[in-house]
Amino acid sequence: MNTITIIAYVVNCSVCLTVGLIFLLTPAQKTAEGKIESFSMARMCLAGSSFLEGILSFFTVLRILNHQLYMPLNYFTNPLFLYFAVCFDLTASIYLLHGKHLSVRTIIAFIMPVVCVWLTHILVYIPIHGLNLSPSVYNAFLETAPAVFTCYMLYIVLVIEGLGIMWFLSNQISVFRQHIDNYYTGEKQSRSRWLIAVGLSLVLYYVVCIIDIALFDPTLDNIFMWIRSSLVLVNGIAFIKCRDVYWDIKPAFVDMDVDHGYIFEPVLKTDHKNNPNNAADATATAIATSGANGDTSADANTVSPENIDAQHRDAFASIDIIVTQWTERPDKPFLKESITIMQVAEQMELNTRLLSNYINNVKGRNFNAWINFLKVEETKRALLADRSRPLGEIAYEMGFTDSAAMSKIFKSVEGMPPSVYRQTH
């Protein structure tokens, strides 16, 4: 059994250290201002969590080779290392999802409870055993009442903070999805989900780790170590594969007032270049304020003309004219398969943030939903214009990837698939 266990931990140590070294030694990309790019920062954070896992596996191998019990590490050391690895990966997820960076005060407040428990654990060990770091002595210490108390304190803190991490990550994913849907349609909007998948795969890894620690079974531990090694390798490859996706959607976040982060109170870029509708840009701040909290859904924040003064009503009317002219263009630009809000804003000669908030607050939809609505309206006309025309041909013309994608979006807007709509109208 010891041989099998050693092999499992050596493999895990090798995989984690190799992935960590690859991530750490890959040259970091920098911005024009000399700052490290956020994707490189995410890679360094993942390297840190991989090193923690590899180091712990290395010390476990040393324990086994010295004929010392290694399972007692599950009482305190493994959960502690796991927590700090989670912190690294949570930070990586924030960078990966273009999230709002945490302040130093928030980071300190977050890790301080665990650090205090850790220091307490050390302080109750030293009076009893001094600086003796022998594994057998430490194993004996873990059976004492003070050690058991600090272990339970650690578990309580980790459960509370774990729930906070899950809430924070789910909120971050929600904000990311809303923001992407407000800037992209088609392929870019779909591919962006791979970044979320990487974040969720990290969560899966830690679920496996928690189960492994909690079961406290040597036989199952061997199995879980192979699973953990595989997940580290898969997550590392998935992260690298998502590099192109990350850079592809980054333009949606370049106008934020924090470095590569999500901004909850956006600062508008004023752009009057070739724009004859200065009244619209003049009220950009007023329109943006209604959506400054980052909400991109149609809800109570939707602004209607009767709720605003005459000046703002004129501004909305001015933007309405621009938007209407764009949607009625003969070339139907909204039928492009993967159109972005930046492209639309450029065609309308409007500020991107202004257009985004206008669509959210006046049209009551995010950009992706608005484009899909326009496509569905055009699809309805095509369905009734020639009832014998194949759905696949219509889907291609309307900018959908295939008839299945068209049917899914059509049903979400109209409540029925296009084939049923054609039969009942």
Side-chain angles (χ1 to χ4, degrees):
M1 179 64 71
N2 280 349
T3 302
I4 297 175
T5 303
I6 289 175
I7 293 174
Y9 275 94
V10 167
V11 170
N12 182 260
C13 178
S14 302
V15 170
C16 291
L17 294 181
T18 300
V19 170
L21 283 173
I22 292 174
F23 283 167
L24 187 64
L25 297 179
T26 301
Q29 294 177 294
K30 295 186 178 181
T31 64
E33 296 78 19
K35 296 180 180 180
I36 298 177
E37 286 280 8
S38 54
F39 189 81
S40 297
M41 291 296 296
R43 189 178 64 240
M44 292 179 183
C45 290
L46 291 177
S49 64
S50 296
F51 280 134
L52 284 176
E53 174 77 6
I55 290 171
L56 189 59
S57 294
F58 175 75
F59 282 116
T60 302
V61 171
L62 292 181
R63 277 196 167 216
I64 298 173
L65 292 176
N66 289 318
H67 305 288
Q68 299 290 338
L69 296 176
Y70 70 94
M71 292 305 292
L73 291 175
N74 286 355
Y75 287 132
F76 192 89
T77 306
N78 280 346
L80 184 68
F81 271 65
L82 182 65
Y83 168 80
F84 287 112
V86 168
C87 290
F88 275 116
D89 284 340
L90 176 64
T91 306
S93 297
I94 293 173
Y95 282 116
L96 192 63
L97 297 177
H98 298 272
K100 186 175 182 180
H101 298 179
L102 300 176
S103 66
V104 176
R105 181 183 301 177
T106 302
I107 294 173
I108 293 176
F110 186 74
I111 67 173
M112 189 56 66
V114 176
V115 172
C116 289
V117 174
W118 181 28
L119 292 176
T120 302
H121 188 75
I122 295 174
L123 292 176
V124 297
Y125 175 84
I126 293 177
I128 301 174
H129 301 289
L131 298 177
N132 189 340
L133 301 180
S134 169
S136 58
V137 172
Y138 182 70
N139 287 348
F141 165 72
L142 290 173
E143 302 293 335
T144 63
V148 172
F149 173 77
T150 56
C151 287
Y152 279 112
M153 287 298 298
L154 180 65
Y155 303 155
I156 293 172
V157 171
L158 293 186
V159 168
I160 295 174
E161 296 209 356
L163 294 175
I165 289 173
M166 294 301 296
W167 174 85
F168 180 86
L169 185 59
S170 63
N171 183 66
Q172 180 60 57
I173 291 174
S174 176
V175 170
F176 174 80
R177 293 185 62 177
Q178 290 175 358
H179 198 66
I180 289 295
D181 288 347
N182 203 39
Y183 276 82
Y184 294 113
T185 64
E187 183 182 0
K188 286 188 177 181
Q189 189 260 355
S190 300
R191 293 180 68 217
S192 68
R193 300 295 191 254
W194 283 104
L195 299 180
I196 298 176
V198 172
L200 294 179
S201 68
L202 295 176
V203 174
L204 174 62
Y205 171 77
Y206 288 112
V207 169
V208 172
C209 291
I210 292 171
I211 295 174
D212 183 19
I213 292 173
L215 290 179
F216 208 82
D217 185 286
T219 302
L220 293 177
D221 181 62
N222 291 333
I223 298 174
F224 276 110
M225 288 311 300
W226 287 102
I227 297 175
R228 289 166 66 171
S229 300
S230 301
L231 287 175
V232 170
L233 190 59
V234 170
N235 288 344
I237 295 174
F239 176 79
I240 295 173
K241 290 288 187 181
C242 282
R243 178 179 56 188
D244 293 339
V245 178
Y246 176 88
W247 293 114
D248 200 29
I249 66 170
K250 187 178 178 181
F253 299 87
V254 296
D255 59 343
M256 304 306 173
D257 67 350
V258 292
D259 294 335
H260 317 299
Y262 186 84
I263 176 173
F264 292 89
E265 295 180 359
V267 177
L268 294 176
K269 291 180 177 179
T270 304
D271 183 10
H272 300 280
K273 180 180 179 182
N274 299 323
N275 190 353
N277 301 279
N278 291 331
D281 270 349
T283 58
T285 303
I287 297 175
T289 301
S290 63
N293 62 352
D295 187 7
T296 57
S297 59
D299 56 16
N301 290 329
T302 300
V303 179
S304 57
E306 59 269 18
N307 294 329
I308 56 178
D309 56 31
Q311 179 184 359
H312 291 163
R313 190 178 298 112
D314 291 341
F316 281 125
S318 178
I319 300 174
D320 274 329
I321 294 173
I322 299 172
V323 172
T324 301
Q325 290 175 346
W326 183 84
T327 57
E328 293 179 351
R329 280 171 45 174
D331 60 338
K332 302 186 188 307
F334 53 85
L335 297 183
K336 183 178 178 182
E337 183 176 344
S338 296
I339 194 169
T340 70
I341 196 171
M342 287 78 76
Q343 295 169 337
V344 175
E346 183 178 355
Q347 293 171 9
M348 294 183 182
E349 296 182 342
L350 286 176
N351 170 270
T352 301
R353 178 61 65 180
L354 171 60
L355 177 61
S356 172
N357 283 284
Y358 167 81
I359 293 172
N360 290 332
N361 294 295
V362 178
K363 296 299 183 181
R365 295 177 170 91
N366 59 45
F367 174 73
N368 182 56
W370 180 60
I371 292 295
N372 284 338
F373 171 78
L374 296 176
K375 287 185 176 183
V376 168
E377 289 297 303
E378 193 65 27
T379 301
K380 287 159 62 177
R381 285 189 282 270
L383 287 170
L384 301 182
D386 184 355
R387 294 177 179 273
S388 62
R389 192 178 181 189
L391 293 181
E393 183 179 319
I394 296 177
Y396 179 77
E397 181 182 333
M398 298 300 139
F400 296 106
T401 54
D402 51 38
S403 58
M406 181 181 73
S407 179
K408 179 180 179 181
I409 294 175
F410 192 99
K411 187 175 182 180
S412 68
V413 175
E414 291 295 320
M416 64 182 76
S419 57
V420 175
Y421 178 86
R422 174 183 270 173
Q423 294 172 0
T424 56
H425 288 76

CSV table of all heavy atoms in Angstrom, one decimal, residues 216-255:
chain,number,residue,atom,x,y,z
A,216,PHE,N,-11.0,10.7,5.0
A,216,PHE,CA,-9.9,10.2,5.9
A,216,PHE,C,-9.7,8.7,5.7
A,216,PHE,O,-9.6,8.0,6.7
A,216,PHE,CB,-10.3,10.5,7.4
A,216,PHE,CG,-9.1,10.7,8.2
A,216,PHE,CD1,-8.4,11.9,8.3
A,216,PHE,CD2,-8.6,9.6,9.0
A,216,PHE,CE1,-7.3,12.0,9.1
A,216,PHE,CE2,-7.5,9.8,9.8
A,216,PHE,CZ,-6.8,11.0,9.9
A,217,ASP,N,-9.7,8.3,4.5
A,217,ASP,CA,-9.5,6.9,4.2
A,217,ASP,C,-8.3,6.7,3.2
A,217,ASP,O,-8.3,7.3,2.1
A,217,ASP,CB,-10.8,6.3,3.5
A,217,ASP,CG,-10.7,4.8,3.2
A,217,ASP,OD1,-9.9,4.4,2.3
A,217,ASP,OD2,-11.4,4.1,3.9
A,218,PRO,N,-7.2,6.0,3.7
A,218,PRO,CA,-6.0,5.8,2.9
A,218,PRO,C,-6.3,5.3,1.5
A,218,PRO,O,-5.6,5.7,0.5
A,218,PRO,CB,-5.1,4.9,3.7
A,218,PRO,CG,-5.6,5.1,5.1
A,218,PRO,CD,-7.1,5.3,5.0
A,219,THR,N,-7.1,4.3,1.4
A,219,THR,CA,-7.4,3.6,0.1
A,219,THR,C,-8.1,4.6,-0.9
A,219,THR,O,-7.6,4.8,-2.0
A,219,THR,CB,-8.3,2.4,0.3
A,219,THR,OG1,-7.6,1.5,1.2
A,219,THR,CG2,-8.5,1.7,-1.1
A,220,LEU,N,-9.1,5.3,-0.4
A,220,LEU,CA,-9.8,6.3,-1.2
A,220,LEU,C,-8.9,7.5,-1.5
A,220,LEU,O,-9.0,8.1,-2.6
A,220,LEU,CB,-11.1,6.7,-0.5
A,220,LEU,CG,-12.2,5.7,-0.4
A,220,LEU,CD1,-13.4,6.3,0.4
A,220,LEU,CD2,-12.6,5.2,-1.8
A,221,ASP,N,-8.0,7.8,-0.6
A,221,ASP,CA,-7.1,8.9,-0.8
A,221,ASP,C,-6.2,8.6,-2.0
A,221,ASP,O,-5.9,9.6,-2.7
A,221,ASP,CB,-6.2,9.1,0.5
A,221,ASP,CG,-5.3,10.2,0.4
A,221,ASP,OD1,-5.7,11.4,0.2
A,221,ASP,OD2,-4.0,10.0,0.4
A,222,ASN,N,-5.8,7.4,-2.2
A,222,ASN,CA,-4.9,7.1,-3.4
A,222,ASN,C,-5.7,7.4,-4.7
A,222,ASN,O,-5.2,8.0,-5.6
A,222,ASN,CB,-4.5,5.6,-3.4
A,222,ASN,CG,-3.5,5.3,-2.2
A,222,ASN,OD1,-2.8,6.2,-1.8
A,222,ASN,ND2,-3.5,4.1,-1.8
A,223,ILE,N,-7.0,7.0,-4.7
A,223,ILE,CA,-7.8,7.2,-5.9
A,223,ILE,C,-8.0,8.7,-6.1
A,223,ILE,O,-7.9,9.2,-7.2
A,223,ILE,CB,-9.2,6.5,-5.7
A,223,ILE,CG1,-9.0,5.0,-5.5
A,223,ILE,CG2,-10.1,6.8,-6.9
A,223,ILE,CD1,-10.2,4.2,-5.2
A,224,PHE,N,-8.3,9.4,-5.0
A,224,PHE,CA,-8.6,10.8,-5.2
A,224,PHE,C,-7.3,11.6,-5.6
A,224,PHE,O,-7.4,12.6,-6.3
A,224,PHE,CB,-9.1,11.4,-3.8
A,224,PHE,CG,-10.6,11.2,-3.7
A,224,PHE,CD1,-11.1,10.4,-2.7
A,224,PHE,CD2,-11.5,12.0,-4.5
A,224,PHE,CE1,-12.4,10.2,-2.6
A,224,PHE,CE2,-12.8,11.8,-4.3
A,224,PHE,CZ,-13.3,10.9,-3.4
A,225,MET,N,-6.1,11.1,-5.2
A,225,MET,CA,-4.9,11.8,-5.6
A,225,MET,C,-4.7,11.7,-7.1
A,225,MET,O,-4.3,12.7,-7.8
A,225,MET,CB,-3.7,11.2,-4.9
A,225,MET,CG,-3.6,11.5,-3.4
A,225,MET,SD,-3.8,13.3,-3.1
A,225,MET,CE,-2.4,14.0,-4.0
A,226,TRP,N,-5.1,10.6,-7.7
A,226,TRP,CA,-5.0,10.5,-9.2
A,226,TRP,C,-6.0,11.4,-9.8
A,226,TRP,O,-5.7,12.0,-10.9
A,226,TRP,CB,-5.3,9.0,-9.6
A,226,TRP,CG,-4.1,8.1,-9.3
A,226,TRP,CD1,-4.0,7.2,-8.3
A,226,TRP,CD2,-2.9,8.0,-10.1
A,226,TRP,NE1,-2.8,6.5,-8.3
A,226,TRP,CE2,-2.1,7.0,-9.4
A,226,TRP,CE3,-2.4,8.6,-11.2
A,226,TRP,CZ2,-0.8,6.6,-9.9
A,226,TRP,CZ3,-1.2,8.3,-11.7
A,226,TRP,CH2,-0.4,7.3,-11.0
A,227,ILE,N,-7.2,11.5,-9.2
A,227,ILE,CA,-8.2,12.4,-9.8
A,227,ILE,C,-7.8,13.8,-9.7
A,227,ILE,O,-7.9,14.6,-10.6
A,227,ILE,CB,-9.6,12.2,-9.0
A,227,ILE,CG1,-10.1,10.8,-9.2
A,227,ILE,CG2,-10.6,13.2,-9.5
A,227,ILE,CD1,-11.4,10.5,-8.5
A,228,ARG,N,-7.2,14.2,-8.5
A,228,ARG,CA,-6.7,15.5,-8.3
A,228,ARG,C,-5.6,15.9,-9.3
A,228,ARG,O,-5.5,17.0,-9.9
A,228,ARG,CB,-6.2,15.7,-6.9
A,228,ARG,CG,-7.4,15.7,-5.9
A,228,ARG,CD,-6.9,15.6,-4.5
A,228,ARG,NE,-6.1,16.7,-4.0
A,228,ARG,CZ,-5.8,16.8,-2.7
A,228,ARG,NH1,-6.1,15.9,-1.8
A,228,ARG,NH2,-5.0,17.9,-2.4
A,229,SER,N,-4.7,14.9,-9.6
A,229,SER,CA,-3.6,15.1,-10.5
A,229,SER,C,-4.2,15.4,-11.9
A,229,SER,O,-3.7,16.3,-12.7
A,229,SER,CB,-2.7,13.9,-10.5
A,229,SER,OG,-2.1,13.7,-9.3
A,230,SER,N,-5.2,14.6,-12.3
A,230,SER,CA,-5.8,14.7,-13.6
A,230,SER,C,-6.5,16.1,-13.7
A,230,SER,O,-6.4,16.7,-14.8
A,230,SER,CB,-6.8,13.6,-13.8
A,230,SER,OG,-6.2,12.3,-13.8
A,231,LEU,N,-7.2,16.5,-12.7
A,231,LEU,CA,-7.9,17.8,-12.7
A,231,LEU,C,-6.9,19.0,-12.8
A,231,LEU,O,-7.2,19.9,-13.5
A,231,LEU,CB,-8.8,18.0,-11.5
A,231,LEU,CG,-10.0,17.1,-11.5
A,231,LEU,CD1,-10.8,17.3,-10.1
A,231,LEU,CD2,-10.9,17.5,-12.6
A,232,VAL,N,-5.8,18.9,-12.1
A,232,VAL,CA,-4.7,19.9,-12.2
A,232,VAL,C,-4.3,20.0,-13.7
A,232,VAL,O,-4.1,21.2,-14.2
A,232,VAL,CB,-3.6,19.7,-11.3
A,232,VAL,CG1,-2.4,20.6,-11.6
A,232,VAL,CG2,-4.0,19.8,-9.8
A,233,LEU,N,-4.0,18.9,-14.3
A,233,LEU,CA,-3.5,18.9,-15.7
A,233,LEU,C,-4.5,19.4,-16.6
A,233,LEU,O,-4.3,20.2,-17.5
A,233,LEU,CB,-3.1,17.4,-16.0
A,233,LEU,CG,-2.3,17.3,-17.4
A,233,LEU,CD1,-1.1,18.1,-17.4
A,233,LEU,CD2,-2.1,15.8,-17.6
A,234,VAL,N,-5.8,18.9,-16.5
A,234,VAL,CA,-6.9,19.4,-17.4
A,234,VAL,C,-7.1,20.9,-17.2
A,234,VAL,O,-7.3,21.6,-18.2
A,234,VAL,CB,-8.1,18.6,-17.1
A,234,VAL,CG1,-9.3,19.2,-17.8
A,234,VAL,CG2,-8.0,17.1,-17.5
A,235,ASN,N,-7.2,21.3,-16.0
A,235,ASN,CA,-7.4,22.8,-15.7
A,235,ASN,C,-6.3,23.6,-16.3
A,235,ASN,O,-6.5,24.7,-16.8
A,235,ASN,CB,-7.5,23.0,-14.2
A,235,ASN,CG,-8.8,22.5,-13.6
A,235,ASN,OD1,-9.7,22.2,-14.4
A,235,ASN,ND2,-8.9,22.4,-12.3
A,236,GLY,N,-5.1,23.1,-16.2
A,236,GLY,CA,-3.9,23.9,-16.8
A,236,GLY,C,-4.0,24.0,-18.3
A,236,GLY,O,-3.8,25.1,-18.9
A,237,ILE,N,-4.4,22.9,-18.9
A,237,ILE,CA,-4.5,22.9,-20.4
A,237,ILE,C,-5.7,23.8,-20.8
A,237,ILE,O,-5.6,24.5,-21.8
A,237,ILE,CB,-4.7,21.5,-20.9
A,237,ILE,CG1,-3.4,20.6,-20.7
A,237,ILE,CG2,-5.1,21.5,-22.4
A,237,ILE,CD1,-3.6,19.2,-21.0
A,238,ALA,N,-6.8,23.7,-20.1
A,238,ALA,CA,-8.0,24.5,-20.4
A,238,ALA,C,-7.7,26.0,-20.2
A,238,ALA,O,-8.2,26.8,-21.1
A,238,ALA,CB,-9.2,24.1,-19.5
A,239,PHE,N,-6.9,26.3,-19.2
A,239,PHE,CA,-6.6,27.7,-19.0
A,239,PHE,C,-5.8,28.2,-20.2
A,239,PHE,O,-6.0,29.3,-20.7
A,239,PHE,CB,-5.8,27.9,-17.7
A,239,PHE,CG,-5.3,29.3,-17.5
A,239,PHE,CD1,-6.2,30.3,-17.0
A,239,PHE,CD2,-4.0,29.6,-17.8
A,239,PHE,CE1,-5.8,31.6,-16.8
A,239,PHE,CE2,-3.6,30.9,-17.6
A,239,PHE,CZ,-4.4,31.9,-17.1
A,240,ILE,N,-4.8,27.5,-20.7
A,240,ILE,CA,-4.0,27.9,-21.8
A,240,ILE,C,-4.9,28.0,-23.1
A,240,ILE,O,-4.7,28.9,-23.9
A,240,ILE,CB,-2.9,26.9,-22.0
A,240,ILE,CG1,-1.9,26.9,-20.8
A,240,ILE,CG2,-2.1,27.2,-23.3
A,240,ILE,CD1,-0.8,25.9,-20.9
A,241,LYS,N,-5.8,27.0,-23.3
A,241,LYS,CA,-6.6,27.0,-24.4
A,241,LYS,C,-7.6,28.2,-24.5
A,241,LYS,O,-8.0,28.7,-25.6
A,241,LYS,CB,-7.5,25.7,-24.5
A,241,LYS,CG,-6.7,24.5,-24.8
A,241,LYS,CD,-6.2,24.4,-26.2
A,241,LYS,CE,-5.6,23.1,-26.5
A,241,LYS,NZ,-5.1,23.0,-28.0
A,242,CYS,N,-7.9,28.7,-23.3
A,242,CYS,CA,-8.8,29.9,-23.2
A,242,CYS,C,-8.1,31.2,-23.4
A,242,CYS,O,-8.8,32.3,-23.3
A,242,CYS,CB,-9.6,29.9,-21.9
A,242,CYS,SG,-10.9,28.6,-21.8
A,243,ARG,N,-6.8,31.2,-23.6
A,243,ARG,CA,-6.1,32.4,-23.8
A,243,ARG,C,-6.7,33.3,-24.9
A,243,ARG,O,-6.9,34.5,-24.8
A,243,ARG,CB,-4.6,32.2,-24.0
A,243,ARG,CG,-3.8,33.4,-24.3
A,243,ARG,CD,-2.3,33.0,-24.5
A,243,ARG,NE,-2.2,32.0,-25.6
A,243,ARG,CZ,-1.1,31.4,-25.9
A,243,ARG,NH1,0.0,31.6,-25.2
A,243,ARG,NH2,-1.1,30.5,-26.9
A,244,ASP,N,-6.9,32.6,-26.1
A,244,ASP,CA,-7.4,33.4,-27.2
A,244,ASP,C,-8.8,33.9,-27.0
A,244,ASP,O,-9.2,35.0,-27.4
A,244,ASP,CB,-7.5,32.4,-28.5
A,244,ASP,CG,-6.1,32.1,-29.0
A,244,ASP,OD1,-5.1,32.8,-28.6
A,244,ASP,OD2,-5.9,31.1,-29.6
A,245,VAL,N,-9.7,33.1,-26.2
A,245,VAL,CA,-11.0,33.6,-25.9
A,245,VAL,C,-10.9,34.8,-25.0
A,245,VAL,O,-11.6,35.8,-25.2
A,245,VAL,CB,-11.8,32.5,-25.2
A,245,VAL,CG1,-13.2,33.0,-24.8
A,245,VAL,CG2,-11.9,31.3,-26.1
A,246,TYR,N,-10.0,34.8,-24.1
A,246,TYR,CA,-9.8,35.9,-23.1
A,246,TYR,C,-9.4,37.2,-23.9
A,246,TYR,O,-10.0,38.2,-23.7
A,246,TYR,CB,-8.7,35.6,-22.1
A,246,TYR,CG,-8.3,36.7,-21.2
A,246,TYR,CD1,-9.0,36.9,-20.0
A,246,TYR,CD2,-7.3,37.6,-21.5
A,246,TYR,CE1,-8.7,37.9,-19.2
A,246,TYR,CE2,-7.0,38.7,-20.7
A,246,TYR,CZ,-7.7,38.8,-19.5
A,246,TYR,OH,-7.4,39.9,-18.7
A,247,TRP,N,-8.5,37.1,-24.8
A,247,TRP,CA,-8.1,38.3,-25.5
A,247,TRP,C,-9.1,38.7,-26.5
A,247,TRP,O,-9.2,39.9,-26.8
A,247,TRP,CB,-6.7,38.0,-26.3
A,247,TRP,CG,-5.6,37.8,-25.3
A,247,TRP,CD1,-4.9,36.7,-25.1
A,247,TRP,CD2,-5.0,38.8,-24.4
A,247,TRP,NE1,-3.9,36.9,-24.2
A,247,TRP,CE2,-4.0,38.2,-23.7
A,247,TRP,CE3,-5.3,40.1,-24.2
A,247,TRP,CZ2,-3.2,38.8,-22.8
A,247,TRP,CZ3,-4.6,40.8,-23.2
A,247,TRP,CH2,-3.5,40.1,-22.5
A,248,ASP,N,-9.9,37.8,-27.0
A,248,ASP,CA,-10.9,38.1,-28.0
A,248,ASP,C,-12.0,39.0,-27.5
A,248,ASP,O,-12.5,39.8,-28.2
A,248,ASP,CB,-11.5,36.8,-28.6
A,248,ASP,CG,-12.2,37.0,-29.9
A,248,ASP,OD1,-11.8,37.9,-30.6
A,248,ASP,OD2,-13.1,36.2,-30.2
A,249,ILE,N,-12.4,38.7,-26.2
A,249,ILE,CA,-13.5,39.5,-25.6
A,249,ILE,C,-13.0,40.7,-24.8
A,249,ILE,O,-13.8,41.5,-24.3
A,249,ILE,CB,-14.3,38.6,-24.7
A,249,ILE,CG1,-13.5,38.2,-23.5
A,249,ILE,CG2,-14.9,37.5,-25.4
A,249,ILE,CD1,-14.4,37.5,-22.4
A,250,LYS,N,-11.7,40.9,-24.7
A,250,LYS,CA,-11.1,41.9,-23.9
A,250,LYS,C,-11.6,43.3,-24.3
A,250,LYS,O,-11.7,44.2,-23.5
A,250,LYS,CB,-9.6,41.9,-23.8
A,250,LYS,CG,-9.0,42.8,-22.9
A,250,LYS,CD,-7.5,42.7,-22.8
A,250,LYS,CE,-6.9,43.8,-21.9
A,250,LYS,NZ,-5.4,43.7,-21.9
A,251,PRO,N,-11.8,43.6,-25.6
A,251,PRO,CA,-12.2,45.0,-26.0
A,251,PRO,C,-13.5,45.4,-25.3
A,251,PRO,O,-13.7,46.6,-25.2
A,251,PRO,CB,-12.4,44.8,-27.5
A,251,PRO,CG,-11.5,43.7,-27.9
A,251,PRO,CD,-11.5,42.8,-26.8
A,252,ALA,N,-14.3,44.5,-24.8
A,252,ALA,CA,-15.5,44.9,-24.1
A,252,ALA,C,-15.2,45.6,-22.8
A,252,ALA,O,-16.1,46.2,-22.2
A,252,ALA,CB,-16.4,43.7,-23.9
A,253,PHE,N,-14.0,45.4,-22.3
A,253,PHE,CA,-13.7,45.8,-20.9
A,253,PHE,C,-12.6,46.9,-20.9
A,253,PHE,O,-12.2,47.4,-19.9
A,253,PHE,CB,-13.1,44.7,-20.1
A,253,PHE,CG,-14.1,43.5,-19.9
A,253,PHE,CD1,-14.2,42.5,-20.9
A,253,PHE,CD2,-15.0,43.5,-18.8
A,253,PHE,CE1,-15.1,41.5,-20.7
A,253,PHE,CE2,-15.9,42.5,-18.7
A,253,PHE,CZ,-15.9,41.4,-19.6
A,254,VAL,N,-12.2,47.4,-22.1
A,254,VAL,CA,-11.1,48.4,-22.1
A,254,VAL,C,-11.5,49.7,-21.6
A,254,VAL,O,-10.6,50.6,-21.3
A,254,VAL,CB,-10.5,48.5,-23.6
A,254,VAL,CG1,-9.9,47.2,-24.0
A,254,VAL,CG2,-11.6,49.0,-24.5
A,255,ASP,N,-12.8,50.1,-21.6
A,255,ASP,CA,-13.2,51.4,-21.2
A,255,ASP,C,-13.5,51.5,-19.7
A,255,ASP,O,-14.2,52.4,-19.2
A,255,ASP,CB,-14.4,51.8,-21.9
A,255,ASP,CG,-15.6,50.9,-21.8
A,255,ASP,OD1,-15.4,49.8,-21.3
A,255,ASP,OD2,-16.7,51.3,-22.1
